[in-house]
Amino acid sequence: MADNTPSSTPPRKGTPMDKTKVLDHLAADADSRMSLARLLDQLELCRRRDIPTHSHFLSDGEQALAVQAIAAAGEIRWTLEGGFAAASRKVCRFLPDWMETPDEPPLAAVEVKLPREGEGAKKLSHRDFLGSLMGLGITRDLLGDILVGEDTGQVVCLASALPILLEQWREVGRYSASPKEIPLSRLTPAEEMVQRRTETFQSLRFDAVAASAFRIPRSKAAALISGGRLLLNHLPCTKPDRLLQEGDSLNGKGLGKCKLTKVNGLSRKGRILVEMERYV
């Protein structure tokens, strides 16, 4: 079943911020500005014509910016959906007031069979799938998560891109592909490996928590943060002394992802008790 429930409580009513001011305030580079501009165009189209609209697929970082942009733009009903609950890439849907329950998302899914025998199946990767799809002229923002299993590969896409995948996608790596449409309920994401533990900290500084979470020296954590290579809630934060709070997530290339699931107060020695989850 698709994840149609709202991903956030709609922002309270207020004076909508000018689009240019929203972009100037939130967009750190040209790519972010273009992505946010397209999203806000769909938001305004929903308001102006009173119809449901949706964005392109957004990465984790783009979703984080989208939440801030929507809050700044004023009250509107919206959801984030990627075909299944744990999807990484999602589209943002804007819903008119008359639509009490969201209808089916504008998403589709296709599946191809992978070779069962030999080493070929093992060599097919996420990169093989993405490369073959983009070789068709499909841009990344039309594609959601790519799920590579032992004998199948599944791709979430915008419904508008589905005909291209079904009619033109004929090869993955050096193997032939015969894609077929499947319902979103048939998607089979791999189970995430989660390590749970409790740590104590003198303070919840970004560099201290990151060092503990990823088992790296604090000096290395500080360098990664200062260089913008360690993300806080999917966005760059270059301040090693930034104080974190319950619910914050940390991730970096090659390190995985960690989330502060609960801050439990102080230990007997006066240190802060934190429950953490690391996804590997």
Side-chain angles (χ1 to χ4, degrees):
M1 182 178 293
D3 49 322
N4 286 337
T5 54
S7 58
S8 175
T9 302
R12 296 178 180 178
K13 289 184 178 180
T15 303
M17 185 180 290
D18 179 81
K19 176 182 174 182
T20 300
K21 291 182 179 179
V22 174
L23 297 175
D24 289 344
H25 179 65
L26 296 176
D29 52 50
D31 288 341
S32 296
R33 189 179 186 91
M34 181 178 296
S35 176
L36 279 180
R38 293 171 63 188
L39 177 120
L40 291 175
D41 285 343
Q42 293 301 315
L43 184 155
E44 288 304 320
L45 180 62
C46 175
R47 279 178 171 164
R48 187 171 63 253
R49 298 183 57 185
D50 203 30
I51 59 173
T53 61
H54 63 84
S55 72
H56 52 291
F57 274 102
L58 305 172
S59 66
D60 287 328
E62 289 172 328
Q63 291 170 45
L65 286 177
V67 171
Q68 296 180 47
I70 294 168
E75 184 178 12
I76 193 166
R77 296 175 62 225
W78 60 280
T79 69
L80 284 171
E81 300 167 28
F84 57 99
S88 176
R89 296 177 60 79
K90 297 181 179 180
V91 299
C92 184
R93 299 178 68 197
F94 299 108
L95 310 173
D97 291 337
W98 54 264
M99 183 177 287
E100 295 184 4
T101 303
D103 56 5
E104 286 300 308
L107 307 177
V110 297
E111 180 178 88
V112 296
K113 295 294 184 181
L114 301 180
R116 290 176 177 271
E117 299 180 358
E119 297 182 356
K122 296 180 181 179
K123 293 181 180 179
L124 288 175
S125 65
H126 182 282
R127 180 177 293 184
D128 292 320
F129 277 81
L130 182 59
S132 67
L133 290 166
M134 297 190 75
L136 301 177
I138 296 177
T139 55
R140 188 67 179 102
D141 57 8
L142 296 178
L143 302 173
D145 283 20
I146 298 173
L147 309 174
V148 183
E150 292 185 3
D151 57 3
T152 61
Q154 299 174 332
V155 179
V156 184
C157 65
L158 285 179
S160 59
L162 178 63
I164 299 176
L165 270 68
L166 294 178
E167 296 169 11
Q168 300 182 30
W169 192 24
R170 292 293 176 263
E171 190 174 70
V172 182
R174 56 191 176 91
Y175 294 94
S176 61
S178 299
K180 65 176 182 179
E181 184 179 5
I182 61 172
L184 296 176
S185 60
R186 281 265 309 277
L187 291 169
T188 54
E191 185 177 352
E192 290 187 298
M193 301 297 292
V194 181
Q195 298 175 348
R196 297 179 175 87
R197 66 178 190 268
T198 299
E199 300 284 353
T200 64
F201 299 93
Q202 188 66 39
S203 75
L204 294 184
R205 282 177 52 116
F206 192 2
D207 55 355
V209 176
S212 175
F214 300 120
R215 301 301 197 210
I216 58 177
R218 187 165 174 173
S219 58
K220 181 177 180 180
L224 291 172
I225 294 168
S226 297
R229 290 175 290 167
L230 195 55
L231 306 182
L232 175 60
N233 298 324
H234 307 294
L235 295 174
C237 174
T238 57
K239 298 179 179 180
D241 61 350
R242 169 76 174 268
L243 295 180
L244 307 189
Q245 59 187 355
E246 186 175 303
D248 282 344
S249 64
L250 293 65
N251 67 285
K253 187 175 182 179
L255 296 173
K257 176 183 175 181
C258 178
K259 185 174 183 179
L260 280 65
T261 54
K262 192 171 184 180
V263 177
N264 288 320
L266 300 179
S267 68
R268 293 180 180 179
K269 295 184 179 180
R271 293 174 63 84
I272 304 170
L273 288 163
V274 178
E275 294 181 19
M276 308 171 71
E277 291 183 347
R278 184 180 177 189
Y279 300 84
V280 295

